[in-house]
């Protein structure tokens, strides 16, 4: 059974009364352990597709299945619960909580999931050590570089053991060397722990590392390369 | 962790939070001072009435309180005093003969309430002896009278001067006697001082052909709060021939004023609370609008609406509690010197005298008013945060994350 399956996914926005067709019938399947990049020009629907898979948005038509469960019909709170348990997000702008330290940021999603304090502390520390950022534990986001913040954001995404990790342009704000380091780290996690990654990016160095490349054009899958 | 997050969020914009804290602190100090002052004033009024004449409980022949004629008298007080001696919550009591009459001097005359008292007994239950400004208290000898300063002024008499008292005697004739002013007192109430004159019990009994009858027994308790329970026990023991009235029934207007003043406090709370609530709404709304992107991320990573809602309320609650702690401490520090030294209102003392209050008011802070004050700011803070919290949970995570 595939981890993610979308069936004829369509999304239409209204932009000042003018309908915008962001997705026009996207059907894909992503298996467990894949390292997939969704690429395509701006406005091709990358982020919209990622939002649908990430249970952040609901489709106008079509269905999204996560671990076999149809998530297109869930309400706001059920979607929240699903995101908490099954999806890890890495955002372009890192989006750590500014008043919490790195360690606390990583613990935060576990706190939301109801993990007891001692356990989440241990798990957060273990994740930081694995990602070689243990020395950042007490630092707040404004005391860290962009690369460091994005590593903390990755640790936050993985620590709850999600089914998939969705990364929306994770290297866009990083220089190429830092971006490469980050991608190394994500690749290692994918290889060693079989974590499923789906990226949306037009950064060539992200595309180069894709083991599966989905190219979107005008809201449709133009190419599916493995 | 949510607590830690909420607390740190408060201090992200410390200037704004401090402004809210200041408004809470000033409001609380105002509440504490206003409440303690008004309670102190009313209790002083009540205390003065009780201390100058009313006492905690009075016993009369049934009907006396509504119709204070001397025919409504207690023929034999022994039954009553025996009941009083067996109740250990009673501190002292005083037997009195009361009669309305006229007191005249060489130059003027005035209507008065003449009280015949046993000097030693009366000195234990009222403050007349301590309130003497000139002369001395009754010795128990005949033809001595102690009057209030206002009455002395009206009659234009001083110590040693003679006055003539006239009152209706028991058989309907006019009883009269000559008294020499031995003492002039001044209580907190100028009204009281204008109409009350004190003479020896037996002297008045003789003047009114009263025999050994008395009009009332005035009782002082160890603890004023027991007045109603002691009164009901005495009522049961003494039966229907007598009326046993606690001060709450003797001073209904003043007791009502205490209640009204307590209710007025709630209006005051509401005014302070409403003034504060707009500050909280403004602050929390600004704080929510500044963090739209962050709320989007919190929602994206799975924070449920209820939790997000509670987090915003928690921030306001913490702000309210912080303001309350500081406000209570500062309010108490402002109250302490006033409670010890009193608030000197001598400039207004004529008006206060007419109200039965002294020139110096001692504010009184009760545990209840501290609890009320402590609750008011946190409650209104949370109420004020509801709308901003609703705004926060209504955000759409996708557009919120993209918000700049």
């Amino acid at each position: 059974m595939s981890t993610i399956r979308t069936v004829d996914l369509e999304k239409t926005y209204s932009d000042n009364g003018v309908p915008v067709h962001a997705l026009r019938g996207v059907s894909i399947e992503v298996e467990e352990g894949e390292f997939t990049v969704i690429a395509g020009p701006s406005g091709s629907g990358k982020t919209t597709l990622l939002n649908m898979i990430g249970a952040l948005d609901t489709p106008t038509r079509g269905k999204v299945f996560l671990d076999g469960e149809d998530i297109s019909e869930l309400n706001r709170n059920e979607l929240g619960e699903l995101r908490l348990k099954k999806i890890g997000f890495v955002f372009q702008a890192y989006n750590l909580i500014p008043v919490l330290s790195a360690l606390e940021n990583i613990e935060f999603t576990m706190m939301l999931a109801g993990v007891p304090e001692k356990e989440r502390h241990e798990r957060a520390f273990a994740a930081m050590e694995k990602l070689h950022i243990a020395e950042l534990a007490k630092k707040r986001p404004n005391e860290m570089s962009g690369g460091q913040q994005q590593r903390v954001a990755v640790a936050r995404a993985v620590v709850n053991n999600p089914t998939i990790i969705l990364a929306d342009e994770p290297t866009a704000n990083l220089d190429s060397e830092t971006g490469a380091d980050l991608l190394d780290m994500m690749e290692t996690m994918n290889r060693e722990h079989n974590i499923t990654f789906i990226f949306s990016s037009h950064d060539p160095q992200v595309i180069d590392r894709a083991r599966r490349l989905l190219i979107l054009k005008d809201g449709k899958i133009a190419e599916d390369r493995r | 962790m949510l607590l830690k997050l909420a607390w740190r969020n408060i201090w992200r914009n410390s200037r704004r939070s401090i402004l809210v804290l200041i408004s809470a602190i000033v409001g609380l100090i105002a509440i504490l001072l206003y409440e303690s002052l008004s309670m102190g004033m009313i209790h002083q009024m009540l205390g003065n009435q009780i201390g100058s004449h009313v006492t905690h409980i009075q016993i009369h022949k049934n009907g006396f309180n509504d119709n204070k004629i001397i025919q409504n008298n207690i023929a034999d007080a022994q039954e009553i005093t025996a009941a009083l001696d067996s109740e250990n919550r009673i501190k002292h009591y005083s037997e009195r003969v009361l009669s309305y009459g006229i007191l005249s001097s060489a130059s003027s005359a005035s209507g008065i309430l003449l009280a015949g008292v046993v000097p030693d007994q009366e000195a234990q239950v009222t403050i007349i002896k301590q309130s003497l400004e000139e002369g001395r208290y009754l010795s128990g000898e005949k033809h001595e009278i102690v009057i209030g300063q206002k009455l002395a002024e009206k009659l234009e008499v001083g110590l040693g001067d003679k006055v003539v008292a006239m009152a209706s005697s028991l058989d309907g004739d006019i009883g009269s006697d000559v008294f020499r002013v031995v003492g002039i007192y001044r209580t907190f109430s100028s009204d009281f001082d204008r109409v009350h004159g004190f003479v020896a019990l037996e002297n008045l009994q003789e003047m009114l052909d009263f025999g050994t009858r008395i009009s009332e027994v005035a009782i002082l308790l160890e603890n004023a709060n027991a007045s109603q329970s002691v009164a009901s026990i005495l009522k049961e023991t003494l039966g229907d021939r007598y009326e046993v009235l606690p001060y709450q029934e003797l001073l209904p207007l003043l007791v009502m004023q205490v209640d009204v003043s307590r209710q007025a406090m709630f209006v005051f709370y509401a005014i302070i609370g409403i003034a504060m609530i707009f500050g909280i709404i403004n602050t929390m709304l600004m704080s929510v609008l500044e963090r739209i992107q962050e709320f989007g991320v919190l929602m994206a990573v799975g924070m449920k609406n209820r939790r997000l809602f509670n987090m915003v309320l928690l921030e306001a609650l913490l702000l309210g509690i912080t303001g309350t702690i500081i406000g209570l401490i500062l309010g108490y520090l402002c109250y302490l010197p006033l409670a010890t030294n009193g608030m000197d209102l001598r400039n207004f003392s004529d008006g206060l005298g007419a109200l039965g209050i002294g020139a110096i008011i001692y504010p009184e802070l009760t545990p209840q008013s501290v609890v009320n004050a402590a609750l008011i700011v946190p409650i209104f803070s949370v109420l004020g945060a509801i709308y901003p919290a609703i705004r926060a949970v209504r955000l759409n995570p996708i557009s919120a994350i993209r918000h700049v």
Side-chain angles (χ1 to χ4, degrees):
Chain A
M1 186 176 64
S2 45
T3 302
I4 301 281
R5 186 158 68 92
T6 70
V7 181
D8 279 337
L9 214 51
E10 288 187 21
K11 183 71 185 181
T12 309
Y13 295 110
S14 168
D15 187 5
N16 288 329
V18 181
V20 178
H21 300 286
L23 294 178
R24 304 163 185 255
V26 173
S27 298
I28 56 164
E29 284 189 34
V30 177
E31 304 295 329
E32 188 185 350
E34 281 193 12
F35 199 77
T36 305
V37 176
I38 303 170
S42 291
S44 59
K46 301 189 295 289
T47 300
T48 308
L49 179 58
L50 212 64
N51 286 342
M52 299 284 162
I53 296 171
L56 278 170
D57 204 353
T58 47
T60 312
R61 199 176 299 157
K63 290 198 180 299
V64 180
F65 295 91
L66 180 64
D67 278 344
E69 185 189 359
D70 182 1
I71 65 171
S72 5
E73 304 291 332
L74 300 181
N75 68 28
R76 219 176 134 121
N77 262 334
E78 289 165 337
L79 288 174
E81 184 76 21
L82 185 94
R83 291 196 295 270
L84 181 62
K85 291 197 172 143
K86 297 198 165 175
I87 300 162
F89 287 95
V90 178
F91 302 96
Q92 179 179 339
Y94 332 127
N95 289 344
L96 298 176
I97 301 167
V99 291
L100 296 184
S101 68
L103 185 70
E104 289 163 343
N105 261 290
I106 297 167
E107 280 185 46
F108 190 75
T109 49
M110 287 190 280
M111 185 273 288
L112 293 179
V115 178
E117 192 173 347
K118 191 164 171 252
E119 187 189 335
R120 66 183 189 233
H121 205 68
E122 286 167 3
R123 272 166 63 180
F125 244 119
M128 293 191 91
E129 289 202 328
K130 204 183 284 171
L131 301 180
H132 310 294
I133 49 171
E135 74 280 2
L136 302 176
K138 288 190 174 160
K139 292 202 167 168
R140 297 233 182 142
N142 62 1
E143 298 164 333
M144 292 186 263
S145 70
Q148 289 173 327
Q149 286 188 60
Q150 198 61 304
R151 279 168 176 262
V152 173
V154 172
R156 174 175 72 179
V158 298
V159 80
N160 240 358
N161 300 324
T163 310
I164 47 165
I165 289 182
L166 303 176
D168 189 9
E169 312 267 10
T171 55
N173 290 356
L174 304 177
D175 61 60
S176 56
E177 197 181 328
T178 315
D181 281 349
L182 186 81
L183 289 167
D184 285 345
M185 183 182 95
M186 288 164 134
E187 261 187 323
T188 313
M189 287 169 64
N190 169 257
R191 227 178 14 249
E192 291 178 1
H193 303 283
N194 205 33
I195 298 174
T196 314
F197 276 88
I198 302 181
F199 294 81
S200 118
S201 181
H202 49 246
D203 180 355
Q205 68 169 344
V206 177
I207 294 169
D208 282 349
R209 296 188 190 228
R211 291 211 294 282
R212 181 180 178 191
L213 183 63
L214 290 164
I215 296 179
L216 273 179
K217 215 175 218 176
D218 300 330
K220 286 182 182 165
I221 300 285
E223 222 181 309
D224 185 353
R225 245 190 278 156
R226 285 178 197 261
Chain B
M1 191 167 197
L2 217 52
L3 202 69
K4 202 192 278 181
L5 180 62
W7 177 252
R8 289 184 192 164
N9 278 335
I10 293 175
W11 299 109
R12 282 163 88 155
N13 192 327
S14 49
R15 195 189 309 175
R16 199 167 57 204
S17 296
I18 286 169
L19 278 174
V20 173
L21 283 180
I22 289 173
S23 76
I25 291 165
V26 171
L28 261 177
I29 294 175
I31 285 179
L32 287 183
L33 290 186
Y34 177 81
E35 176 150 12
S36 61
L37 208 57
S38 77
M39 276 300 136
M41 206 186 274
I42 289 171
H43 283 149
Q44 229 162 303
M45 271 161 83
L46 201 58
N48 291 342
Q49 289 280 344
I50 288 171
S52 60
H53 189 65
V54 175
T55 69
H56 291 137
I57 299 173
Q58 291 180 1
I59 302 176
H60 317 117
K61 187 186 176 195
N62 216 351
F64 177 85
N65 200 41
D66 291 333
N67 189 10
K68 291 187 177 68
I69 53 172
I70 59 167
Q71 282 74 17
N72 279 337
N73 57 55
I74 299 165
D76 182 7
Q78 248 180 355
E79 187 188 0
I80 297 171
T81 52
L84 300 185
D85 290 336
S86 65
E87 171 59 60
N88 56 15
R89 283 180 287 178
I90 292 173
K91 202 168 163 189
H92 300 289
Y93 59 84
S94 171
E95 294 158 86
R96 293 169 175 166
V97 171
L98 299 172
S99 171
Y100 289 102
I102 293 170
L103 196 65
S104 20
S105 66
S107 55
S108 182
S110 180
I112 64 158
L113 178 64
L114 208 51
V117 297
V118 180
D120 290 344
Q121 281 187 357
E122 186 67 17
Q124 305 277 9
V125 300
T126 59
I127 53 160
I128 302 301
K129 189 176 179 184
Q130 293 93 295
S131 306
L132 284 170
E133 294 252 306
E134 293 176 60
R136 59 170 174 83
Y137 195 54
L138 298 171
S139 66
E141 292 293 314
K142 285 185 178 175
H143 308 299
E144 289 179 357
I145 189 166
V146 170
I147 57 173
Q149 200 184 33
K150 288 277 170 191
L151 186 59
E153 277 170 24
K154 191 173 176 195
L155 297 178
E156 296 174 24
V157 293
L159 286 181
D161 288 347
K162 279 185 186 169
V163 286
V164 176
M166 277 191 293
S168 167
S169 67
L170 193 58
D171 54 15
D173 286 345
I174 299 290
S176 70
D177 209 341
V178 179
F179 296 92
R180 201 174 284 281
V181 177
V182 295
I184 296 174
Y185 65 84
R186 185 183 172 180
T187 67
F188 303 106
S189 164
S190 43
D191 276 351
F192 182 86
D193 299 352
R194 200 172 285 125
V195 292
H196 285 78
F198 295 86
V199 298
L201 180 80
E202 283 164 13
N203 200 166
L204 193 58
Q205 281 171 330
E206 201 173 289
M207 178 181 134
L208 302 174
D209 288 334
F210 225 47
T212 55
R213 295 175 175 85
I214 58 168
S215 308
E216 75 179 13
V217 183
I219 301 163
L220 198 70
L221 301 176
E222 294 283 353
N223 178 359
N225 294 333
S227 61
Q228 275 161 324
S229 80
V230 174
S232 72
I233 289 172
L234 290 175
K235 214 174 273 181
E236 215 165 283
T237 318
L238 296 173
D240 324 334
R241 278 176 302 145
Y242 303 105
E243 55 187 23
V244 182
L245 302 171
Y247 71 89
Q248 289 89 340
E249 286 177 49
L250 293 162
L251 299 167
L253 273 178
L254 208 51
V255 172
M256 197 176 79
Q257 209 175 335
V258 174
D259 288 343
V260 168
S261 155
R262 285 208 178 108
Q263 281 153 16
M265 268 321 294
F266 284 96
V267 176
F268 191 63
Y269 289 160
I271 294 170
I272 296 270
I274 288 167
M276 223 193 68
I277 210 168
F278 287 103
I280 289 280
I281 291 175
N282 182 42
T283 303
M284 294 313 296
L285 200 58
M286 292 283 285
S287 149
V288 164
L289 295 178
E290 274 172 9
R291 288 186 285 160
I292 287 181
Q293 193 194 31
E294 198 175 311
F295 285 134
V297 174
L298 292 177
M299 287 169 159
V301 300
M303 193 166 191
K304 292 213 184 114
N305 281 354
R306 208 180 56 199
R307 220 165 195 164
L308 194 62
F309 189 84
N310 290 345
M311 190 181 83
V312 177
L313 294 196
L314 188 63
E315 287 175 19
L317 181 66
L318 285 179
L319 204 55
I321 289 174
T322 309
T324 300
I325 292 171
I326 301 173
L328 284 182
I329 292 171
L330 292 182
Y332 191 71
L333 290 178
C334 294
Y335 156 80
L336 218 50
L338 289 177
T340 322
N341 306 322
M343 204 163 160
D344 197 340
L345 299 175
R346 226 162 287 174
N347 291 342
F348 310 101
S349 78
D350 276 355
L352 293 170
L355 280 173
I357 314 170
I360 295 175
I361 294 176
Y362 293 87
E364 251 176 61
L365 211 49
T366 59
Q368 182 62 46
S369 48
V370 175
V371 170
N372 288 348
L375 289 177
I376 201 85
V377 174
I379 287 175
F380 278 96
S381 301
V382 171
L383 289 179
I386 288 176
Y387 172 64
I390 290 174
R391 286 287 297 265
V393 298
R394 277 197 186 152
L395 292 171
N396 175 322
I398 299 173
S399 40
I401 290 172
R402 291 208 199 107
H403 187 89
V404 182

